[in-house]
Amino acid sequence: MSTTPADVLKMCKDHDVKCIDFKFMDFPGLWQHFTVPVSELSAESFEDGFGFDGSSIRGWKGIEESDMLIMPDPATAMIDPFNAATTLSLVCNVVDPITKEKYTRDPRNVALKAESYLKSTGIGDKSFFGPELEFFILDDARFSTAAQHGYFYLDSEEGRWNSGREENLDESGYSHNLAYKPRHKEGYFPVPPTDKFQDLRTEMMLIMLECGIQVETQHHEVATAGQAEIDMRFDTLTHVADKCLLFKYIVKNVALRHGKTVTFMPKPIFGDNGSGMHVHQSIWSGGKPIFAGNGYAGLSEMALHYIGGLLRHARALCAFTNPTTNSYKRLVPGFEAPVNLAYSQRNRSACCRIPMYSSSPKAKRIEWRCPDPSANPYLAFAAMLMAGLDGIQNKIDPGQALDKNIYDLPAEEAKQIKKVPASLEEALEALAEDHEFLLHGDVFTQDVIDGWISYKTSAEVTALRLRPHPHEFELYFDI
């Protein structure tokens, strides 16, 4: 049952709400917000919106187009679990105040247009996405760059490197290091006391449930230093993207309550596994799954063509699904992340996996394993859907499945398999060359594509290219 403006106003009254917090997205993928007294919210607010200054929002157009409106979505209403004053949170779309058209660089609007485009094709009426976000829970995170220095320093009570550290000093100064710190790449799934964050992850999970995120499981991940995963139940594209942002908000704030910090960086720690965001996806029509069939791994012809679209456009997709320079520290051939553009049932060494846990047609889906949690979920999910739809519309053949451990293939055979880009710069170049499929139905506009490439190139690729890297001093200082 959908929530109406009247329902939201009733929630405010029933919970004695004091404030309304409006959340919206910047271009790269972080929530922004501002707050008004509850007296400012009325039924008309959902049609008239609230004005704000968009001139300083990352990736948006300049000061000459800074006046913007946010339009609250009543379906996203919830009581914020972290504010001292009782606050009702609403996720918003951004609208041009003059034309009243949806702002093209608002990522949520892109996601909504992708869902509308799916319906217009007649292929299906719902697209379901199930992302698996991984992250690190840390005790210390320090970093700084300037003309004469650049460094980062991370620490965690669980970090294997602390196995010899003096800890828990008593009154006499004697150290009690209680050990039980996961070895590198052996954090999947130890019980406490090696897993030191069971209670913290459970608290995160329970708050997610209170806020309307249906959680399936939580567990320690592979890496040392508190790597974690909490899996939410799949939902329709825009709704699950909303939940990704709420997920991050909850995880970071619960960690802060306990004197911890969290990062969703794909590769914050050298020599151990990075954090991915595997994305399960399927399309339904009239209440029936269209990915189930009698083909390979129980897939329909449409599902195989959807995979064909993902594989064909994979290098361009990486500009949205792996959108940071740090993303490509994780996507390195021969290491833990899937970089090979192939598909296979059960096989986690391929970029595209078909899960085989259940024979039920309702469970039939594909899992795209390249993405990471630095992605803007609205743009990433919309781009994947558009690639898959292009595959279905053009009957793109995905080729033969590769049911082998790709990591162990002979060098000559491995060379024949195409791979994801090796850098953000390569991914942006691929997007510049291959984005026509994203423009269908005006889902991604040319302005969005150009703006994304321009922002990412100047703010990230060039910024990193200009700066010395700390490891370069290890390699070259005495040259």
Side-chain angles (χ1 to χ4, degrees):
M1 185 173 69
S2 60
T3 305
T4 66
D7 296 327
V8 175
L9 295 174
K10 186 175 185 300
M11 282 179 67
C12 292
K13 185 177 180 180
D14 291 347
H15 292 273
D16 193 23
V17 166
K18 304 298 184 185
C19 303
I20 307 295
D21 195 58
F22 299 118
K23 296 183 174 71
F24 61 97
M25 285 290 289
D26 69 6
F27 204 38
L30 280 178
W31 252 354
Q32 309 294 312
H33 81 130
F34 63 89
T35 306
V36 302
V38 68
S39 58
E40 293 295 306
L41 188 73
S42 66
E44 290 73 26
S45 301
F46 294 88
E47 295 182 3
D48 298 338
F50 289 81
F52 73 101
D53 176 6
S55 61
S56 297
I57 303 301
R58 294 186 305 165
W60 286 12
K61 295 179 182 178
I63 197 168
E64 72 280 3
E65 297 183 29
S66 57
D67 285 357
M68 289 289 174
L69 286 176
I70 53 102
M71 307 298 288
D73 182 346
T76 64
M78 67 159 203
I79 302 300
D80 191 298
F82 300 107
N83 293 128
T86 307
T87 300
L88 185 132
S89 172
L90 287 163
V91 178
C92 306
N93 298 317
V94 181
V95 172
D96 186 293
I98 298 174
T99 66
K100 297 299 172 67
E101 292 181 353
K102 293 178 177 178
Y103 184 46
T104 58
R105 291 200 187 186
D106 173 15
R108 194 170 193 265
N109 284 333
V110 174
L112 290 168
K113 287 192 290 182
E115 291 187 291
S116 295
Y117 178 69
L118 168 62
K119 293 178 183 177
S120 75
T121 65
I123 292 170
D125 50 36
K126 287 185 178 179
S127 54
F128 289 104
F129 284 76
E132 301 173 354
L133 284 79
E134 298 171 352
F135 54 94
F136 281 87
I137 302 168
L138 302 168
D139 291 287
D140 194 9
R142 287 177 274 148
F143 43 88
S144 178
T145 58
Q148 87 294 1
H149 74 257
Y151 73 90
F152 71 92
Y153 179 84
L154 306 178
D155 204 6
S156 167
E157 65 175 305
E158 225 192 50
R160 185 65 180 180
W161 53 81
N162 285 325
S163 59
R165 182 176 68 175
E166 291 190 353
E167 296 180 337
N168 306 304
L169 298 179
D170 62 21
E171 293 179 357
S172 66
Y174 184 78
S175 170
H176 300 272
N177 187 320
L178 302 180
Y180 295 114
K181 304 180 191 300
R183 299 176 186 88
H184 290 282
K185 297 183 179 292
E186 292 187 24
Y188 201 76
F189 311 113
V191 298
T194 301
D195 177 1
K196 293 180 171 54
F197 298 116
Q198 167 69 11
D199 289 339
L200 186 59
R201 292 194 310 271
T202 294
E203 184 178 337
M204 294 169 178
M205 177 180 71
L206 294 177
I207 292 178
M208 288 180 191
L209 292 168
E210 290 174 9
C211 292
I213 297 176
Q214 192 171 355
V215 176
E216 294 185 334
T217 185
Q218 63 90 348
H219 58 83
H220 202 289
E221 254 297 335
V222 173
T224 192
Q227 193 183 35
E229 180 176 324
I230 303 175
D231 293 337
M232 67 178 96
R233 180 70 57 88
F234 64 88
D235 203 344
T236 52
L237 191 155
T238 303
H239 285 158
V240 84
D242 290 340
K243 290 176 181 178
C244 284
L245 274 297
L246 178 57
F247 179 108
K248 288 186 174 184
Y249 181 71
I250 292 169
V251 164
K252 291 176 180 179
N253 279 283
V254 170
L256 190 64
R257 279 181 177 176
H258 295 269
K260 310 286 186 183
T261 190
V262 159
T263 182
F264 288 88
M265 278 181 67
K267 191 74 173 182
I269 294 175
F270 169 67
D272 213 333
N273 280 34
S275 293
M277 184 181 71
H278 309 148
V279 182
H280 299 255
Q281 47 204 285
S282 65
I283 297 175
W284 287 50
S285 179
K288 296 182 180 178
I290 69 169
F291 276 12
N294 299 315
Y296 173 81
L299 294 176
S300 66
E301 186 178 46
M302 276 192 179
L304 290 168
H305 289 153
Y306 188 99
I307 292 171
L310 288 174
L311 292 172
R312 173 169 295 182
H313 300 299
R315 290 177 62 82
L317 286 178
C318 282
F320 291 111
T321 62
N322 305 83
T324 67
T325 58
N326 186 252
S327 297
Y328 299 87
K329 303 293 194 296
R330 170 179 168 263
L331 294 178
V332 178
F335 291 85
E336 85 271 5
V339 299
N340 300 287
L341 296 177
Y343 74 102
S344 176
Q345 62 182 2
R346 303 177 63 185
N347 187 353
R348 285 173 167 80
S349 65
C351 281
C352 184
R353 181 179 79 98
I354 300 94
M356 302 297 291
Y357 297 122
S358 171
S359 60
S360 169
K362 293 182 178 181
K364 192 52 64 179
R365 63 195 187 276
I366 67 102
E367 177 192 21
W368 193 245
R369 295 177 56 79
C370 305
D372 66 58
S374 69
N376 182 325
Y378 298 107
L379 300 180
F381 300 161
M384 285 185 276
L385 177 62
M386 295 301 288
L389 291 177
D390 188 62
I392 292 172
Q393 291 166 323
N394 291 292
K395 295 181 166 39
I396 297 174
D397 184 356
Q400 292 295 311
L402 192 59
D403 293 328
K404 300 178 180 179
N405 184 343
I406 304 173
Y407 299 139
D408 291 340
L409 288 179
E412 286 303 312
E413 191 175 349
K415 281 182 183 178
Q416 305 305 312
I417 303 172
K418 293 181 179 179
K419 292 177 173 55
V420 299
S423 67
L424 178 57
E425 184 174 17
E426 276 189 35
L428 294 172
E429 288 171 354
L431 178 63
E433 295 173 3
D434 175 25
H435 61 259
E436 186 66 31
F437 69 100
L438 296 171
L439 303 179
H440 296 162
D442 199 40
V443 174
F444 286 78
T445 63
Q446 190 64 49
D447 173 67
V448 167
I449 300 296
D450 293 343
W452 186 261
I453 293 172
S454 175
Y455 177 84
K456 286 287 175 177
T457 299
S458 62
E460 300 178 30
V461 173
T462 302
L464 264 291
R465 183 182 288 163
L466 288 169
R467 286 166 169 79
H469 187 284
H471 193 61
E472 290 177 320
F473 288 84
E474 296 271 357
L475 296 171
Y476 309 127
F477 187 80
D478 60 351
I479 199 166

